[in-house]
Amino acid sequence: MAGLEHYRLAKDPAIIKLGNMIQNRYRYFRWTKRTAFISFMYVIVVPGCVGYLGWKYDGQWDMRAKRRGDMLSDR
């Protein structure tokens, strides 16, 4: 093993480029129709649907102290 340094890893240029791209993502971001639509879906629509379902089904199921064979609904 004359002269080889086995404790060092060879740097892959593609991995370095990916790391730099992820680190500087904010510099290259642009608002397009696609990014605006995706942002709208994740910021407005998804929390709205989760909130609506939580409001609609609030209090219908009692999950505390349930055993095998007990009913989930309180109706």
Side-chain angles (χ1 to χ4, degrees):
M1 313 306 163
L4 293 178
E5 298 175 358
H6 292 289
Y7 59 90
R8 293 190 182 181
L9 293 175
K11 295 182 179 180
D12 186 4
I15 294 176
I16 294 172
K17 184 178 179 181
L18 177 67
N20 289 335
M21 183 186 70
I22 290 172
Q23 194 173 19
N24 298 320
R25 184 177 307 233
Y26 69 94
R27 293 181 183 172
Y28 303 109
F29 179 79
R30 291 187 183 183
W31 283 106
T32 61
K33 288 182 182 181
R34 182 177 185 267
T35 57
F37 177 73
I38 291 171
S39 299
F40 177 76
M41 294 298 283
Y42 281 114
V43 172
I44 303 295
V45 175
V46 172
C49 291
V50 170
Y52 172 73
L53 290 174
W55 173 75
K56 182 176 179 184
Y57 293 111
D58 183 33
Q60 281 193 347
W61 296 314
D62 183 21
M63 300 299 282
R64 295 168 74 194
K66 293 296 180 184
R67 295 189 175 145
R68 189 180 307 165
D70 290 346
M71 302 261 318
L72 286 177
S73 62
D74 291 336
R75 292 182 181 184

